[in-house]
Amino acid sequence: MSDGGGMAHNGGSPAGPGFPGGPGQPGGRPAGPDARGGFPGGPGWQGGHPGGTGALFPPPPMTGQGPAPAATPDWAALAEANDLRHRRGQRLKIAGAVVGVLAVGGILATALALRPDPPGPPAPTAATGPAGPATSAAAPSAAGSPSAAATAPGTAAPSASGTVSAGPSAGSGPARLDDVRGGHPAAPAGSAVIGPTEGHDGPTLVLHGDGGSYAATAGPVVDTSRSFTVSAMVRNNAPTGGRAVVTQGSGSYYSFYLGRDYWGTHNQWVFKVQTAAGGEDNTTYQAFSTGQATTGQWTLLTGVYDASTRRIQLYVDGTLAQTTAVKGIWQTSGPLEFGRTRYKGAWSDFWDGAIADVQVWNQALPAARVSQLRNSRGASAGTAPAAGWLLP
């Protein structure tokens, strides 16, 4: 309560000295200048204006004490950056080395490509033997034009009778059949091959039973108006058909024929002649073998004409087979033929097999000479022939 006299009491007016917070009052404000609870802005008050010695705000920065200390470096980050730079440098070095190696390799490859090739070995030339370089000349064909269709050595060609002929066991020999006396060389034709054949020593003429397989001289060799002997070693490969070994003649007929005769069941070696011009069968005289003509084996055939007695004889392997009387032999102007004959104006009876040791004598050899011929396997009768081919 107030007694109206302005005395201090609890709950009095703020203007009086006794208002709460006054001196001596619990919770009263200090009255002196050193009081901590003075008015805002007063000396020592913590909440006063800036500049007051006891202001609650942070004091302004102090001057004259230098810059603030620097922050501590991030050593881990610096180390990582340095490691990255190091690795980048290593990669650049490796890439540079690779590029350098590739460049050097490219230079070397270019140099090798542009370098001229060294000279190679000289081209092979034909093998040369004692008689000069080997040749393979084409033999004339039946039509007169060159033919290179010779059967390869060691091969067999089909025959007209459907059988296979024996080929030589080595390369073909010379391009012609030289006469040992030098006067009558013979030229092989078509598929005729000169060379060795199994079972015989010395050169052979291998024929294949076709029209282009034969050999012939340029003109006649035998004077059929006089005595003569013709002989040859033969190997027949054809089971059927007439087969001529050695004949002479042109035009319509042969003048003499040494070979194999065949018709029906008749299959015999034969020496036959024409006794008159005209080409008639009734002017043909033969001397036959006593046995069958063989196939696939060597046989010595010898035909003899004795003009003094007008007889023809056939010897097979040196043995007399048959003697036949004749009226003489018709002379023709045709060449000596190996492996074919002239019959009724056409070539026929083509030999399928091998022929060797062909010889002609201008005399009728006696039996003793023929036997000697057999003993030498057809090479020698003890008397020089007038002409000879395919001798050892």
Side-chain angles (χ1 to χ4, degrees):
M1 292 278 300
S2 171
D3 57 5
M7 297 297 292
H9 59 86
N10 292 334
S13 169
F19 62 87
Q25 298 295 321
R29 295 173 180 165
D34 295 329
R36 298 285 180 178
F39 292 101
W45 187 61
Q46 296 295 326
H49 291 285
T53 57
L56 296 176
F57 295 99
M62 301 295 290
T63 60
Q65 297 180 359
T72 302
D74 190 346
W75 299 111
L78 292 174
E80 183 178 359
N82 184 61
D83 186 59
L84 288 175
R85 285 194 299 273
H86 179 73
R87 288 199 298 269
R88 186 179 300 111
Q90 291 294 331
R91 286 195 295 270
L92 290 175
K93 290 179 181 179
I94 293 172
V98 171
V99 171
V101 171
L102 292 177
V104 172
I107 293 172
L108 291 176
T110 302
L112 290 174
L114 295 177
R115 185 181 66 179
D117 293 334
T125 58
T128 304
T135 60
S136 179
S141 68
S145 60
S147 171
T151 302
T155 60
S159 71
S161 61
T163 61
V164 180
S165 66
S169 58
S172 62
R176 70 175 188 172
L177 304 178
D178 288 327
D179 174 11
V180 294
R181 306 291 288 184
H184 303 282
S191 60
V193 177
I194 303 170
T197 299
E198 181 183 1
H200 182 77
D201 295 330
T204 65
L205 175 66
V206 178
L207 305 176
H208 305 298
D210 56 68
S213 181
Y214 67 95
T217 61
V221 176
V222 177
D223 181 358
T224 57
S225 66
R226 301 176 180 272
S227 298
F228 68 91
T229 302
V230 58
S231 180
M233 286 288 296
V234 302
R235 174 173 171 164
N236 168 49
N237 289 335
T240 61
R243 305 290 169 172
V245 176
V246 181
T247 70
Q248 182 171 288
S250 62
S252 59
Y253 260 86
Y254 58 86
S255 58
F256 71 85
Y257 177 119
L258 181 67
R260 198 264 295 274
D261 210 43
Y262 185 93
W263 70 87
T265 59
H266 176 79
N267 175 29
Q268 293 173 288
W269 301 117
V270 66
F271 178 54
K272 55 187 176 181
V273 299
Q274 293 292 324
T275 60
E280 298 295 333
D281 288 339
N282 58 8
T283 60
T284 303
Y285 288 76
Q286 305 101 345
F288 294 111
S289 64
T290 56
Q292 295 282 307
T294 59
T295 301
Q297 67 183 53
W298 286 99
T299 302
L300 175 63
L301 299 180
T302 306
V304 178
Y305 171 62
D306 187 341
S308 62
T309 61
R310 293 191 176 182
R311 295 185 305 173
I312 59 172
Q313 295 175 311
L314 173 66
Y315 289 83
V316 178
D317 288 331
T319 300
L320 179 62
Q322 187 176 11
T323 300
T324 304
V326 299
K327 301 176 180 179
I329 300 177
W330 173 52
Q331 174 69 16
T332 70
S333 60
L336 193 72
E337 302 282 345
F338 301 74
R340 69 176 183 173
T341 191
R342 195 72 172 171
Y343 179 73
K344 293 186 177 180
W347 296 109
S348 66
D349 291 13
F350 302 104
W351 185 257
D352 184 6
I355 300 173
D357 301 316
V358 179
Q359 299 183 75
V360 172
W361 291 265
N362 292 330
Q363 59 176 301
L365 290 182
R369 293 294 186 185
V370 177
S371 178
Q372 187 173 348
L373 191 62
R374 178 201 62 196
N375 294 337
S376 66
R377 291 185 57 82
S380 174
T383 183
W389 307 262
L390 300 165
L391 294 169

